[in-house]
Amino acid sequence: MVFSIPKHTTSLLAAVLASVFYLPAAQADGDHTPIGDAVKDLPIFDAHIHYKEPAWKPYPVESIIELMDRNGVAMGLVSSTPDEGTIMLWEYAPNRIVPELRPYHGNAGSSNWAKSPKMDAYLENRLNAYPHEGIGEFHIHRLDYNDEPLFREVIKMAKDRDIFLHVHSGTEPIRWLYSLDPDVKIIWAHAGLGTRASAVYDLMSDFPNLVADTSLREYDILGSGGGLDPTWKSIVIDFQDRLMVGSDTWVNGQWDDYDAIITSNRRWLSYLPRDVAEKIAYKNAERLFSRNISMDLIGKR
Ligand SMILES: [Zn+2]
């Protein structure tokens, strides 16, 4: 086909074609080029760290900070069984650790903590003694409506201090907690872990203040096609202001693999535009925990 059109019309046509067929999103709202390898320069906020008792000897506090340093993990949200692990790490490196209070201690574990005697007093005492910025990570394996009085107290403790609940559960307990108090601040651990992506999308849509950490979800998000899983991609893009990455060092094997875990998190972030990758890597955490997070923190404590 040969058209004879004036030069200025040609360039106009080119611009129109480019905007329609080639770069529609980039024209509309910023640069959608994936951040790619530059992801390695982003500081990471690890929103799901545990420093449990079996780790204390093989991984003393200084070795944890070294692991964070060499992976560009500038800061982390830490909860531990028992809470003393969190406090040890926070006392060693207060500028690198955001402490949160896990209920588990003594005989109180993931399946019985809500029925453990004097749990409310334990939580209140620890919250008064240390500057925890969350209660959790705790599990709700099976919703028991008889636990409502304790959960009402836990919600009140969190709200009095304007801190989060960090909840490992399926979708139903999250809906239930919001039914007890629509203003409770929740971080949904692992974005539900066993919850399928479409249900994650629905819950995040239904509760516009719900925040999630994506620990243990790296390979769900990466999918199998050499990019991001399509449903996860829509979760990540649509809820980019409410997601944080995490490692979940729930057993020492996770500390053994810490380099690989952080690398796999950077890998899925590398498929995202820079502004989205930055939010999920650390900027959402900056906002949610009122911190400044940068590579300047690396090597310091
Ligand atoms: Zn965990």
Side-chain angles (χ1 to χ4, degrees), residues 26 65 78 110 112 118 154 225 241 264 267 296:
I65 302 303
V78 180
S110 73
N112 67 345
K118 302 198 181 123
V154 168
D241 295 309
S264 64
R267 204 173 123 220
D296 293 345

Side-chain angles (χ1 to χ4, degrees), residues 176-213:
W176 179 67
L177 289 168
Y178 279 123
S179 78
L180 299 182
D181 190 328
D183 297 324
V184 63
K185 288 167 58 167
I186 298 177
I187 301 170
W188 192 22
H190 323 288
L193 196 55
T195 306
R196 68 184 194 284
S198 60
V200 172
Y201 192 98
D202 291 346
L203 195 71
M204 296 295 287
S205 311
D206 289 349
F207 298 99
N209 294 320
L210 179 62
V211 173
D213 80 65

Side-chain angles (χ1 to χ4, degrees), residues 48-50 79 102 137 139 166 168 189-190 213 215-216 248-250:
H48 199 129
I49 296 178
H50 302 296
S79 65
R102 187 169 234 204
E137 179 210 18
H139 296 71
H166 196 170
H168 180 142
H190 323 288
D213 80 65
S215 59
L216 305 181
D248 193 4
T249 48
W250 66 288

Side-chain angles (χ1 to χ4, degrees), residues 27 30 286:
Q27 300 282 322
E286 284 193 311

Side-chain angles (χ1 to χ4, degrees), residues 31-36 228 233 236-237 267-278 280:
D31 182 5
H32 284 230
T33 312
I35 186 170
L228 299 182
K233 187 172 183 184
V236 164
I237 296 296
R267 204 173 123 220
W268 75 259
L269 292 176
S270 76
Y271 291 107
L272 301 170
R274 170 174 284 276
D275 58 333
V276 182
E278 285 178 345
I280 298 170

Side-chain angles (χ1 to χ4, degrees), residues 141-182:
H141 292 303
R142 231 178 329 109
L143 197 48
D144 182 346
Y145 298 106
N146 294 318
D147 295 337
E148 181 177 329
L150 176 69
F151 277 98
R152 286 204 179 273
E153 279 192 76
V154 168
I155 290 170
K156 183 175 186 322
M157 287 181 222
K159 285 189 77 181
D160 285 349
R161 294 164 177 83
D162 192 28
I163 63 177
F164 289 94
L165 304 186
H166 196 170
V167 186
H168 180 142
S169 73
T171 57
E172 241 0 81
I174 302 293
R175 292 183 188 278
W176 179 67
L177 289 168
Y178 279 123
S179 78
L180 299 182
D181 190 328

